[in-house]
Amino acid sequence: MGEQITYGISEAEETSTSLPTLSFFPKESFDYILKLTISNIDKAEIFSYLARFNTLYMISRAGSGHIGGSFSSMDVITWLYLNILKSDDRYFSSKGHDAPGLYSIHTALGILNFDLIHKLRKIDGLPGHPDVKMPGAHTNTGSLGMGVSKAKGFLIADTLNGQNKNGKIFVLTGDGELQEGQFWESLISIKYKTELQNIIVLVDHNKIQSDTYVKNVGDLGNLDQKFKSFDFEVFRIDGHDFSAIEEVFSKIDKISKPIAIICDTIKGKGISFMEHINMQENEEYYKYHSGAPSPGEYKKAKNELIENIKLKFNKINFDIPEHKDIDYTPLFAASNTFRLIPGYSEKIVKIAKNNHSIIALDADLILDTGLIDFKKNYPNRFIECGIAEQDMVSQAGTIALSGLIPIVHSFACFLTSRASEQIYNNCTQGGKVIYVGSLAGVLPGGPGPSHQAVRDIAAMKAMPGIVIIEPLCLSELNFAFDWIINTNKTSAYLRITSIPIKYRHEFEGISKFNPGQGYILREGYDINIIVLGPILTVEVLEACDELVKDNINCNVIAFSFANNIDGIWLKSALKNMNAPILILENHMTEGGFGETISKVILENKITYKNNIEFIGINGVPRSGSNQEVLNAHELSSIHIVQKVKNII
Amino acid sequence: MGEQITYGISEAEETSTSLPTLSFFPKESFDYILKLTISNIDKAEIFSYLARFNTLYMISRAGSGHIGGSFSSMDVITWLYLNILKSDDRYFSSKGHDAPGLYSIHTALGILNFDLIHKLRKIDGLPGHPDVKMPGAHTNTGSLGMGVSKAKGFLIADTLNGQNKNGKIFVLTGDGELQEGQFWESLISIKYKTELQNIIVLVDHNKIQSDTYVKNVGDLGNLDQKFKSFDFEVFRIDGHDFSAIEEVFSKIDKISKPIAIICDTIKGKGISFMEHINMQENEEYYKYHSGAPSPGEYKKAKNELIENIKLKFNKINFDIPEHKDIDYTPLFAASNTFRLIPGYSEKIVKIAKNNHSIIALDADLILDTGLIDFKKNYPNRFIECGIAEQDMVSQAGTIALSGLIPIVHSFACFLTSRASEQIYNNCTQGGKVIYVGSLAGVLPGGPGPSHQAVRDIAAMKAMPGIVIIEPLCLSELNFAFDWIINTNKTSAYLRITSIPIKYRHEFEGISKFNPGQGYILREGYDINIIVLGPILTVEVLEACDELVKDNINCNVIAFSFANNIDGIWLKSALKNMNAPILILENHMTEGGFGETISKVILENKITYKNNIEFIGINGVPRSGSNQEVLNAHELSSIHIVQKVKNII
């Protein structure tokens, strides 16, 4: 489920003076291929290479996206769309990470408007993971392990609706994804309804999950036997051999039970330096699961694909269609930024040096959660749990009961949600467990709702005894982590922003850490702004810079504590008790920080006759570039300026 | 995970004039058995029968408890404790429902203070599911599927702590429990660490899950093959044949990989009319999963056990020890009560008659969630999903996308927690799904924290678009359900109290339903009491009856809406804006209804100089009888009276 945001054409090699020309094949190229009088296998092969070319374009232009899995599944999915899917069949990917690959097929075939290839991960464009609002998507994906359950729901509804009796549903799964319990859970009751026999599971067995080799994380062992023990008919093929693909699909109509087709594939297939089989022997981590290629990598990849496409056209003796070039200048990230994850990496290594009780657990996101150095330094105290958040959290519970301090890592969206009951169970049995959720909040906006953690505070604050902290800057992260480990007795949830945060001089003023208290980052008497977390604090401060030009002076109180608020301190921090209050959070307004503060205000008899307003996420979070998403939810500095003016 | 509370010695056959004498074997009886010079097999057999006798006593006295699974696992667990467990070994049950059986062994062996057998499901007694605070419990259980994960955590911690290198962990699981995804998830990474090879999974394969036959719900198919495909060494035995039990345990020391021992057992083993093999051919539901026997059943069961115990002692030619009798008068439930679940049963059948879009999904709790009549009337529109909440909720999502109205049922604690990410995923993709969580709130107090849903409002209110309603009485439930199905466009969460609710004449006044508004059940000017849900509304009204004697007149505003509150109405309902406010909820104070109301108060400029106080659950919910739990959390009418007096 990785969402590496540490490189990408939009950020990497910023000093590079020669940006590559981005290229894609237009719709006509695909129409042309589809009309060629060549064998189905030749057609699929050529189509899949052009689709790869466009996938590379989309991801490079977007600055992020899952390239490895898009390429490993490309051949099977191409065959499916060109030769197998009938009008009453459905296909979707359970993991949804391979969306760019699927979009390249959907745009090529006219299922999606072709021009959308220029808008991957942009607002009103193609979301980072499929969304049901897009034609051909069928369902929202991006959270792992749900695909077969969803297929079951569709087929049951079809029967009840008296429709689609013969329609099959093809569900693609990753191999790492099979570590999720829901996948196996969803198989158990398949045999109870006739219509569920129309499910065909395609396993994109590319051997690499988010970080590294599947076999090093949660070996699937005898996968054929596993499926058979759940009453599946099992086939296993080379997922890049179109003859084998053709043959296996020719068999499925005759089988009246659920089918699993295990496709042995190569992650990054089609671009040699991205293919996992070309990893060095001592290379532990695969580099092209997500993110985007650097400009240099883009050029190399593009050239290799073009060479291969040429060879294929030469073989069939037809003219190669022309690709289009675009001189696209990516938006560079602001240069004056900092990141919390590297700071966290450093801190956990440092604190674990003298505290041998600290154990780090990870759910296949070692690159994203910043644990590489920890693992290097303390291999015995690092536990790679695989994509198995429930299992990880329950293990942490008994590790804590044994007197150690387990620190559990994943993306905030998965950790606090998939393992919700397990976290509560840990709370009821005592023991101190630290939960570290990165990728917290509505940004990055690219991956879409499945990866946007905007209800984690609500879920975690009702857990008995859990303190929630969203660090504002690097020094505050250090203070907070020390306090969590060395002083605080209960469990804690560290909510970490993963995207680069714009540097603000006001952060320099943070030189102490008083639990439950915030920081007055700017003093003023016209309005009190209470804000949680770094992203919105920066937006607020930028808004203040603007407002001061109109002689509006804001009192900015920034919190890292999302609960356990020191009400007496808050009362003292409100400079002008008669000024309005604006409360902002990078979270759903309902159930979030604003409600906590509301209760604190009432309990501490902080009475107002003036306005109090709340800004946060309302409704389903939008997907798009970070700035687009902030704008869409009226959280950007421009909107804050307007809001403040309206209130005053 | 059923928690039937529809019968039990404390409530059933209330008209019976002849209550049975309750009997148990004292500690000395077990000491005596342990000293007899008989074979290990004879000893275990006799011990297990006396332990069953005491289990029957505990459950009958408590008025609820899981008898079927306690009896099916009794023989294997007895053997384990008498002959296998060494000081560095651990045993726990993953499901924990079989706690009464385990307690009878633990009290007999002195692991627990013997006198605790009189305090099952009482405060400071033996919780309905094991709690780590009890000696011998090791970990908190009651939520399914977590056992192997917990064992892994213990073993990893042992290694890191340099302890217990040879200790084994025996984990008992149910067979219905194997429908939970986390179980399979937890097996995948077992082979990565040497110490994890010390896990022995004992499957109590009694063929019956909460409601009915496992094979009718989520067939485990070739269970041996399933375990083997996850690299387990698998044994299969008759779990009531002590020779077979002895033999299998003699083999385990020589095996250096994870072991599964599938024990074919009989649910209710030892009392013929409770044994599932004696169910009638047309009998669909097993009656002795949870709850307590009626007085008549108790007498019959006790006599049969005594007869069997006599036979066994005759066989070995030793005197039978004497049991002790107790004339225990159970506390009857107040006779003037009503229940919401039967009302819900009736309503869903009625509304589905004309609305063919309504589909009911259940997770093996058809008896507890009130769906028996629905299933009878609309068998095609009833989907039994098994103990697989994640799978159920994801299925519901695509059923909703297909234009139907899925209504998803389980206990609130499991539904909103285990399937948290799946509910959110459904919210992001649209479609109207109705979530019905019964057993909501801190009561019943007997089953303990795993079954007490006290953070479901927090979890659900941050889900985009979900309306939360906790019906106050039968007529309000009818109004609410009509509104949810016919008027409201978004998804909804119906939070239903399962225990009997005391009748109050004030409920008669509820004759309308205005979304977001509450009901003024009593007018007064001394204090405004805002309360959510039926249980605390009754306590508040009882408190008002007391307070009026002291000339304190309360303004009682009862809500069924936990979010989407109509602030303008609330403002109008507060009779005296200068009186203090008291807010009560059957939920964690943090993240709950009180915070929602706080925000509404501020947003609607309802300003106070007076006190506002909040009562709800703080910390881990207590386990005990309903009244004990209300008292412990200061939620009972007596505490409310005191609180009001303090505030005024």
Side-chain angles (χ1 to χ4, degrees), chain B residues 492-524:
Chain B
Y493 169 47
L494 200 58
R495 182 180 206 247
I496 303 187
T497 296
S498 288
I499 64 162
I501 300 160
K502 286 180 230 167
Y503 169 80
R504 289 289 310 193
H505 68 86
E506 287 89 345
F507 289 137
E508 304 278 347
I510 294 179
S511 58
K512 60 176 180 48
F513 182 82
N514 292 320
Q517 301 184 2
Y519 305 91
I520 301 174
L521 294 185
R522 199 180 269 245
E523 296 200 13

Side-chain angles (χ1 to χ4, degrees), chain A residues 149 192 215 390-391 607-608, chain B residues 149 192 215 390-391 607-608:
Chain A
S149 302
Y192 286 100
K215 68 174 159 44
Q390 303 191 23
D391 184 39
T607 54
Y608 280 92
Chain B
S149 302
Y192 287 101
K215 68 174 158 46
Q390 304 191 26
D391 184 39
T607 54
Y608 280 91

Side-chain angles (χ1 to χ4, degrees), chain A residues 139 149-150 152 181-182 185 192 215 219 390-391 418 421-422 425 429 461 563 595 607-608, chain B residues 139 149-150 152 181-182 185 192 215 219 390-391 418 421-422 425 429 461 590 595 607-608:
Chain A
T139 175
S149 302
K150 285 168 179 259
K152 287 160 75 177
Q182 187 182 353
E185 178 175 310
Y192 286 100
K215 68 174 159 44
D219 193 355
Q390 303 191 23
D391 184 39
R418 187 64 66 116
E421 194 177 354
Q422 290 74 13
N425 182 272
Q429 72 187 2
K461 71 178 166 179
N563 67 349
E595 291 190 356
T607 54
Y608 280 92
Chain B
T139 173
S149 302
K150 284 166 179 261
K152 288 160 73 177
Q182 188 182 353
E185 178 175 309
Y192 287 101
K215 68 174 158 46
D219 194 355
Q390 304 191 26
D391 184 39
R418 186 64 66 117
E421 193 177 354
Q422 290 74 14
N425 182 272
Q429 72 187 2
K461 71 179 166 178
E590 201 172 345
E595 290 190 356
T607 54
Y608 280 91

Side-chain angles (χ1 to χ4, degrees), chain B residues 362-375:
Chain B
D362 173 58
D364 188 35
L365 287 169
I366 189 169
L367 300 170
D368 298 80
T369 57
L371 291 175
I372 291 192
D373 283 346
F374 185 95
K375 183 182 174 185

Side-chain angles (χ1 to χ4, degrees), chain A residues 196-207:
Chain A
L196 302 186
Q197 314 313 306
N198 288 335
I199 293 175
I200 294 148
V201 176
L202 308 168
V203 181
D204 179 20
H205 196 7
N206 61 28
K207 319 296 183 295

